[in-house]
């Protein structure tokens, strides 16, 4: 009997062929996450992506679903508890964002050190001006919360700028590219020497609101805060207070507690803040990278019954 893979995202002909070659005994059908075909999904053993209103069909008693390959690195919006109870394997897309998000992180850092954000405003106003406060990344310290694929790639590139790199992770284990790695419990101590505090953390019960007044007050005076992880890891009111007081010199933000950011939100009017609309991970190579992960996982799944890359630990929520 032919088994079924349903992908809820658009795939090119070439991407579809890669999946079919890796899973010759499966049918591959493209669905639509915005308008899911529940009858099609009801027979799927493997789902790539997810869609609104599909949980009851996919998680029903007797469903053949065995494995979900998420289209994103974050999985907090999926019904994790129910999936865990059903014994469904879940893999995420961690790793696909490393290059584009690292580029955004360095865009923020370079704009702040070279005052490019004010230069753009001056250009719009036809104003020839520099306040002479331009700096450079060489010799600066980056504290990177999260030492996974994005944090590690950021640390690797930071070394090209001869920066000091300090990591913060749940385990505190050493990771290539970092001069030191602290545990999450040592976050407050770690930020004291940071010129840049870079938040790449996922949202979990442990990381909810972890960047708050306590952390910001412990930061080096005049540090910059960058968040490309999840908005809910930051207490926005505390961040705004730290920016107003000058404790933080600026912030580069791609994610927010509430998205889209309301038009009347005070962050819009703060000249020391650079914002992007949760697009740091967007790249024209995204689907290629997810398919590469899936193909490798499919090979392992066929051999052992378990994907080999990015298997989500339900107890950690990532």
């Amino acid at each position: 009997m032919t088994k079924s893979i349903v992908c809820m995202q658009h795939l090119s002909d070439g991407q579809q062929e890669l999946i079919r070659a890796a899973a010759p005994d499966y049918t591959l059908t493209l669905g639509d996450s915005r308008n899911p075909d529940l009858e099609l999904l009801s027979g799927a053993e493997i789902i790539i992506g997810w869609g609104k209103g599909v949980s009851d069909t996919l998680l029903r008693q007797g469903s053949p679903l065995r494995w979900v390959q998420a289209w994103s690195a974050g999985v907090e919006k999926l019904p994790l508890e129910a999936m865990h109870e059903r014994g469904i394997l879940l893999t995420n897309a961690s790793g696909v964002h490393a290059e584009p998000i690292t580029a955004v992180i360095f865009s923020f850092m370079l704009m702040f050190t070279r005052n490019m954000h004010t230069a753009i405003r001056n250009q719009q106003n036809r104003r020839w001006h520099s306040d002479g406060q331009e700096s450079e990344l060489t010799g600066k310290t980056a504290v990177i919360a999260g030492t996974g694929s994005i944090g590690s790639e950021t640390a690797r590139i930071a070394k090209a700028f001869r920066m000091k790199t300090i990591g913060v992770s749940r385990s505190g284990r050493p990771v290539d590219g970092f001069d030191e790695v602290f545990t999450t419990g040592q976050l407050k101590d770690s930020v004291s020497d940071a010129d840049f505090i870079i938040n790449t953390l996922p949202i979990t019960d442990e990381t909810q609101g972890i960047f708050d007044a306590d952390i910001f007050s412990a930061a080096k005076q005049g540090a910059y805060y960058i968040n490309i992880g999840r908005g809910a890891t930051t207490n926005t009111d505390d961040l705004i207070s730290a920016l107003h007081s000058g404790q933080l010199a600026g912030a580069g933000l791609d994610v927010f507690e509430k998205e889209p950011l309301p038009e009347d939100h005070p962050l819009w009017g703060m000249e020391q803040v650079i914002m992007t609309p949760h697009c740091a991970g967007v790249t024209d190579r995204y689907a290629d990278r997810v398919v590469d992960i899936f193909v490798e996982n499919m090979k392992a799944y066929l051999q052992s019954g378990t994907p080999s890359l990015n298997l989500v630990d339900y107890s950690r929520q990532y």
Side-chain angles (χ1 to χ4, degrees), residues 245-301:
S245 71
Q247 179 67 27
L248 294 176
L253 307 172
D254 182 60
V255 292
F256 306 86
E257 284 188 277
K258 184 176 181 181
E259 296 180 0
L261 192 68
E263 290 183 6
D264 61 351
H265 200 283
L267 283 171
W268 287 112
M270 302 183 75
E271 293 193 353
Q272 71 272 53
V273 174
I274 305 171
M275 297 187 295
T276 48
H278 202 152
C279 63
V282 174
T283 169
D284 55 1
R285 299 182 61 187
Y286 193 99
D288 286 337
R289 289 176 176 147
V290 176
V291 169
D292 286 345
I293 290 171
F294 179 79
V295 166
E296 288 304 309
N297 274 337
M298 191 72 216
K299 293 175 183 176
Y301 180 78

Side-chain angles (χ1 to χ4, degrees), residues 28-314:
L28 170 66
T29 310
L30 300 189
D32 184 348
S33 62
R34 294 166 296 183
N35 186 28
D37 183 335
L38 297 182
E39 184 177 353
L40 173 65
L41 291 170
S42 68
E45 177 184 332
I46 301 168
I47 299 290
I48 304 173
W50 197 256
K52 187 177 182 179
V54 303
S55 296
D56 288 347
T57 297
L58 292 174
L59 302 178
R60 75 189 190 283
Q61 191 68 28
S63 168
L65 183 64
R66 287 286 299 120
W67 168 28
V68 174
Q69 169 66 61
W71 196 254
S72 61
V75 295
E76 68 274 5
K77 294 182 180 179
L78 297 181
L80 299 181
E81 185 175 345
M83 293 172 71
H84 184 35
E85 289 175 356
R86 283 271 288 104
I88 293 168
L89 299 165
L90 173 61
T91 52
N92 64 22
S94 179
V96 301
H97 303 98
E99 286 84 358
I101 290 184
T102 296
V104 171
I105 290 169
F106 277 91
S107 295
F108 286 146
M109 290 200 292
L110 288 166
M111 288 182 80
F112 283 131
T113 54
R114 301 306 304 164
N115 283 336
M116 296 303 292
H117 56 312
T118 57
I120 291 169
R121 294 190 186 102
N122 287 338
Q123 180 182 346
Q124 291 172 336
N125 294 317
R126 299 175 182 265
R127 184 180 182 222
W128 183 277
H129 175 75
S130 166
D131 60 10
Q133 298 300 308
E134 285 76 18
S135 184
E136 56 189 74
L137 294 181
T138 303
K140 296 288 196 301
T141 296
V143 172
I144 305 169
T147 59
S149 58
I150 296 169
S152 295
E153 179 67 1
T154 300
R156 185 183 73 84
I157 300 299
K159 285 302 175 186
F161 285 93
R162 298 192 291 279
M163 298 179 72
K164 182 178 180 180
T165 53
I166 296 174
V168 179
S169 70
R170 199 169 187 262
S171 68
R173 286 193 296 266
V175 178
D176 287 347
F178 291 93
D179 297 307
E180 300 176 79
V181 179
F182 293 92
T183 65
T184 307
Q186 297 171 298
L187 177 61
K188 186 174 179 179
D189 294 330
S190 72
V191 300
S192 61
D193 292 325
D195 296 291
F196 295 94
I197 302 167
I198 302 168
N199 177 2
T200 76
L201 295 175
I203 185 64
T204 68
D205 293 340
E206 291 178 290
T207 63
Q208 181 89 23
I210 193 171
F211 282 94
D212 58 11
D214 196 39
I215 299 300
F216 295 136
S217 64
K220 178 179 179 180
Q221 182 82 25
Y224 292 92
Y225 177 67
I226 293 171
N227 187 9
I228 54 75
R230 284 292 183 266
T233 61
T234 302
N235 183 309
T236 305
D237 289 342
D238 290 352
L239 171 61
I240 290 172
S241 294
L243 289 164
H244 277 312
S245 71
Q247 179 67 27
L248 294 176
L253 307 172
D254 182 60
V255 292
F256 306 86
E257 284 188 277
K258 184 176 181 181
E259 296 180 0
L261 192 68
E263 290 183 6
D264 61 351
H265 200 283
L267 283 171
W268 287 112
M270 302 183 75
E271 293 193 353
Q272 71 272 53
V273 174
I274 305 171
M275 297 187 295
T276 48
H278 202 152
C279 63
V282 174
T283 169
D284 55 1
R285 299 182 61 187
Y286 193 99
D288 286 337
R289 289 176 176 147
V290 176
V291 169
D292 286 345
I293 290 171
F294 179 79
V295 166
E296 288 304 309
N297 274 337
M298 191 72 216
K299 293 175 183 176
Y301 180 78
L302 291 175
Q303 290 178 352
S304 67
T306 304
S308 57
L309 300 175
N310 298 351
L311 190 64
V312 170
D313 182 340
Y314 284 109

Side-chain angles (χ1 to χ4, degrees), residues 7-13 15-16 30-32 71 287 291:
C7 179
M8 304 295 287
Q9 300 287 335
H10 173 75
L11 297 175
S12 69
D13 291 343
Q15 291 159 352
Q16 293 178 55
L30 300 189
D32 184 348
W71 196 254
V291 169

